[in-house]
Structure formats: structure tokens, C-alpha cells
Amino acid sequence: MRLSFLTMALIVVSAQTYASTEQQLTECSVIPDKLDRLICYDNLAASIQGANAETSVKAIAPVTVAVPTSAAVSTTVASTAKVENDFGIAPKPVQEDVVDKIYLDVESIAEDPYGALKITFTNGQVWKQTESRKFSLKVGDKVYIEKAALGSFLMGTESRNAKVRVKRLK
């Protein structure tokens, strides 16, 4: 008789504890902020483990969680929207004293077996033509090299409208 009374008391207390745990889980699940919700679940799990570690069964204390105000929520939404709008756009560093175009005098010209020019300039720089189209130059010509798209460079002369893509060798 005593054993059945004790068993019945444990069942009633565990049912109340289970109902309390379900209520706390429901409270945690409605928290909109992920971090606060995780903290709520962690506190609930810790309180359950603490109750299981004790020999007597006790009711779990309710967890109180502060719900963020609407101003905090709107600030979070605004900052998230800004981050999403800026996604994929790398900020361009401000470069001062950047040269976009240089003028050089041709010192010597060599041609490879494929017809690409290898041009040495009076300042010691050596550039090579990377395109396969014909571009005529003479020793002593004044040419310019300017920056083009995707880190490439174009070489041309002021006297004509043709340009050819080049890369620097030395």
C-alpha cells in the first residue's frame, strides 16, 4: 500500500513537471530573436538536468525572458536590410596619386613567331602585345599605355584611333 501511494505521488509530480516543461518550451519557441531563444532553451535544459540530478522531483522554475522592444527590432531589421543590400559589393579603396595613362617613347621592337610585338621603351619597360591583330609601330614613336577593364592595359598612339591590348614583362 505504501509503495503504491509513493508511486502514485511520483506520477502526479512528474506529470506536473512535464506540463510545466511543455509550457516553458512553448514560451521559448515564441521568442523572435534567435540568440534569446537559444538562451531560453539552454536555461530550460540546464534546469531539467539539475532537477534530474537531485534525488527528489521538484517543479521547474519558470524562465523569464525579456522580449525586445519594437525599436530594437526595427533597428535589427534595418541593419539586416543594409547588409543584404551591400552583399557582393566590395568597397572600393580610395587611391590617390594613381596614374591611369602613361606616355612612352619606343626604343626597340621585336616580333615573336606569332606576330605579337615585344616593345622596349626608353625608360627600360618591356611590354608584349597579347592580341593577335596587326598593330604597326616604328622605333621612336610616342605611344600611350592606359588601364583597361579587369586589370588589363591598352596601348595606342595619339595619331590614330587603334589600340591593342598589352601586358608588362619587365
Side-chain angles (χ1 to χ4, degrees):
M1 175 88 176
R2 203 187 310 161
L3 186 59
S4 64
F5 179 71
L6 187 60
T7 306
M8 189 61 105
L10 282 175
I11 291 174
V12 169
V13 171
S14 67
Q16 290 174 349
T17 303
Y18 180 72
S20 174
T21 304
E22 278 189 5
Q23 179 184 3
Q24 289 175 351
L25 281 172
T26 306
E27 289 174 3
C28 289
S29 68
V30 296
I31 297 174
D33 186 38
K34 292 178 183 178
L35 183 60
D36 290 338
R37 187 170 49 246
L38 179 62
I39 291 170
C40 180
Y41 285 134
D42 287 344
N43 291 338
L44 182 60
S47 66
I48 290 172
Q49 288 175 351
N52 289 342
E54 298 176 8
T55 56
S56 64
V57 178
K58 295 183 180 179
I60 299 173
V63 177
T64 58
V65 177
V67 178
T69 63
S70 62
V73 171
S74 64
T75 304
T76 305
V77 170
S79 64
T80 303
K82 181 178 180 345
V83 169
E84 288 178 356
N85 287 339
D86 292 342
F87 180 77
I89 300 174
K92 294 184 180 180
V94 177
Q95 297 179 353
E96 296 180 14
D97 301 331
V98 176
V99 179
D100 291 330
K101 190 180 216 182
I102 59 171
Y103 289 90
L104 303 164
D105 293 320
V106 177
E107 184 177 290
S108 67
I109 301 171
E111 194 171 312
D112 71 1
Y114 299 105
L117 300 176
K118 184 177 175 183
I119 305 120
T120 305
F121 296 102
T122 54
N123 66 354
Q125 292 182 5
V126 179
W127 292 74
K128 182 178 181 179
Q129 178 181 352
T130 58
E131 293 179 332
S132 61
R133 57 189 187 137
K134 183 78 172 149
F135 190 80
S136 59
L137 273 179
K138 297 177 188 166
V139 175
D141 283 352
K142 186 168 187 86
V143 298
Y144 64 86
I145 299 177
E146 63 184 358
K147 289 185 179 181
L150 303 173
S152 63
F153 297 92
L154 294 173
M155 180 178 65
T157 61
E158 294 292 336
S159 62
R160 60 182 185 199
N161 199 18
K163 296 178 188 175
V164 67
R165 199 163 302 276
V166 293
K167 74 174 184 177
R168 186 170 178 180
L169 300 177
K170 184 170 115 178

